[in-house]
Amino acid sequence: MKYPLSPDVKPEFCTTGSFMRLPAERENVKVGLVGMPFDTAASFRVGARFAPQAIRQASMTLFPYHPVHDVYPFDDTNAIDIGDVPVIPHNIHRSYELMEEAVGALMDRGIVPIGIGGDHSVTLASLRAAAKRYGPVAMIHFDSHTDTWDTYYDEKYWHGSPFIRAYEEGLVDPKKVFQIGIRGTLNHPGDVQESKDLGYHVVTARELEHQGFSLILEQMKTAIGDTPCFLTFDIDFVDPSCAPGTGTLEVGGFSSRETLQMIRSLTGFNYVGFDLVEVLPAYDPTQITSLLAATIIHDFVSLVAVKTKRESLDTMIK
C-alpha cells in the first residue's frame, strides 16, 4: 500500500490516528513524526498536550504532493508516525528524558525527527538528543518570544526558558542561532537584549518587515552553512487572526501566507530535526490553527524531501 493515503483514496474522516494516516514503520525511513503531548511547563494557558492528535486530525485534509517543491514528501522520505511519547504530566524532568530518548532513537537510525508539541519547553529535550549526536547545533527559531528568560516564579524550567538552558548546556552554537519574528510587549528593555547577549541573532518582527526575509535568509545561509541544524516553530509567530489557538497571543504577527512563503524558502540547510509547538486546540473551534500547523509540518517534510531528491540526483550524476 502506498502512503500517505490521500483524501481521494480514503475519506478524510476515516483516520488511523496518525499524521496523514502514515504507518508506524516501513523501510528506508528518512523522516519520523513523534507527538510530544506535554504542557506542564506552560505559564498561562494550558492544553497543548492535546495538539498532536488535533494536528494529526487536521492533516487528513492535506494531499500528498507539494506543488511548490515538486515532491511527494512523505513518499520520497518514507515518512512514519511513531505516535506520542508517554510523557508524565506532573514530572517535567522525567518527561524530558522520555522525549529525548524517543527523538534520539530516531536520530540513531538516521531519521530526521519532527516533534509535534506540546509547549515550547519540549524543544530542550530534542536539542539534548541532537547535541549528543552532532555536537552543538545551529537553530532556526520562529517565534514571537525569545524564550531565553531565566526563571519564572523562581523555576528555571518552563516554556519561556528552553533556549537559555540550551545555551548553558552547550546544545547550540550561539553564532548559528537565529530567532525570527520577535514582537510584543516586554517586562523590561533587556528582555530581547538578554538573548543577543548570548550571541544569538535576534530578528524582530519590525526588522523582518523592513529588511525582508530574503536578506535574513542569506545571513542564515552564510552563518549556518552545512552545520547540523534544528528548526523550531512556535505557532504564535503567526498573527492570532490566522492562528488563534495558542497559549500566549501576540498581535501584529505574520499571515499564514507570509509564513508559508518563509518556510518554503528554507531549502539548503542540513536539517537534523524539527518541531512545531504551542498549538492549543481548545481555543480554536474553527481548527484553522491545527490546519496551519499540519501544513507547516507538511512543509518540513518537504524540505527533507528536497534535500533527499538532490542527493539522489548527485549520486546518479557521479
Side-chain angles (χ1 to χ4, degrees):
M1 183 179 293
K2 188 174 181 179
Y3 292 98
L5 299 178
S6 68
D8 63 347
V9 173
K10 190 175 184 180
E12 295 96 318
F13 48 82
C14 298
T15 176
T16 62
S18 65
F19 193 95
M20 292 186 71
R21 292 177 285 219
L22 290 171
E25 191 55 81
R26 50 179 167 168
E27 295 182 354
N28 301 316
V29 180
K30 296 181 176 64
V31 168
L33 278 67
V34 53
M36 297 183 176
F38 181 81
D39 60 11
T40 304
S43 58
F44 183 43
R45 287 178 171 179
V46 293
R49 66 183 63 184
F50 301 110
Q53 284 305 319
I55 293 170
R56 288 180 174 113
Q57 183 63 46
S59 77
M60 294 301 102
T61 62
L62 302 178
F63 286 86
Y65 176 69
H66 197 293
V68 175
H69 290 307
D70 187 27
V71 291
Y72 286 91
F74 299 89
D75 189 40
D76 293 343
T77 63
N78 291 322
I80 58 174
D81 183 344
I82 66 170
D84 290 348
V85 178
V87 299
I88 302 170
H90 57 271
N91 191 321
I92 291 176
H93 296 291
R94 182 65 183 129
S95 293
Y96 284 168
E97 291 172 0
L98 293 167
M99 290 184 279
E100 180 186 342
E101 180 181 341
V103 170
L106 290 171
M107 290 179 171
D108 285 343
R109 296 173 57 192
I111 297 171
V112 176
I114 299 179
I116 312 175
D119 68 50
H120 216 155
S121 73
V122 304
T123 306
L124 184 61
S126 294
L127 290 175
R128 286 173 174 171
K132 280 185 179 179
R133 289 151 183 85
Y134 304 103
V137 297
M139 185 175 71
I140 300 173
H141 170 204
F142 289 88
D143 204 328
S144 62
H145 313 101
T146 61
D147 291 351
T148 51
W149 298 311
D150 188 19
T151 62
Y152 202 67
Y153 301 119
D154 295 324
E155 292 294 328
K156 296 178 76 68
Y157 293 90
W158 62 296
H159 72 159
S161 69
F163 304 124
I164 190 170
R165 302 286 87 86
Y167 172 85
E168 293 169 346
E169 295 179 24
L171 309 180
V172 295
D173 182 341
K175 301 185 299 298
K176 299 181 180 183
V177 172
F178 284 79
Q179 300 185 301
I180 303 167
I182 309 304
R183 67 184 190 275
T185 56
L186 304 171
N187 282 316
H188 55 78
D191 275 355
V192 172
Q193 186 60 44
E194 288 170 356
S195 201
K196 294 179 179 178
D197 289 344
L198 300 178
Y200 295 171
H201 302 269
V202 179
V203 183
T204 66
R206 183 181 182 188
E207 291 168 340
L208 181 54
E209 182 181 1
H210 289 172
Q211 297 179 26
F213 191 69
S214 295
L215 177 60
I216 306 302
L217 180 59
E218 289 305 312
Q219 293 173 355
M220 287 195 293
K221 288 187 173 180
T222 299
I224 294 174
D226 196 45
T227 303
C229 183
F230 192 93
L231 195 163
T232 180
F233 191 98
D234 187 323
I235 203 70
D236 71 27
F237 170 86
V238 184
D239 191 81
S241 62
C242 299
T246 191
T248 310
L249 299 168
E250 295 287 359
V251 298
F254 299 88
S255 70
S256 56
R257 178 179 59 83
E258 291 167 333
T259 298
L260 293 176
Q261 286 177 338
M262 293 182 216
I263 296 297
R264 290 168 180 173
S265 70
L266 291 172
T267 57
F269 293 95
N270 180 20
Y271 294 111
V272 296
F274 301 79
D275 67 16
L276 187 144
V277 298
E278 297 288 350
V279 171
L280 276 66
Y283 288 92
D284 179 11
T286 68
Q287 302 178 36
I288 59 173
T289 309
S290 296
L291 176 58
L292 176 58
T295 304
I296 292 171
I297 290 171
H298 193 294
D299 275 295
F300 288 168
V301 182
S302 296
L303 292 174
V304 180
V306 168
K307 185 173 185 287
T308 300
K309 191 174 181 179
R310 287 177 178 171
E311 290 173 345
S312 297
L313 289 174
D314 289 343
T315 301
M316 292 174 60
I317 293 172
K318 292 178 180 178

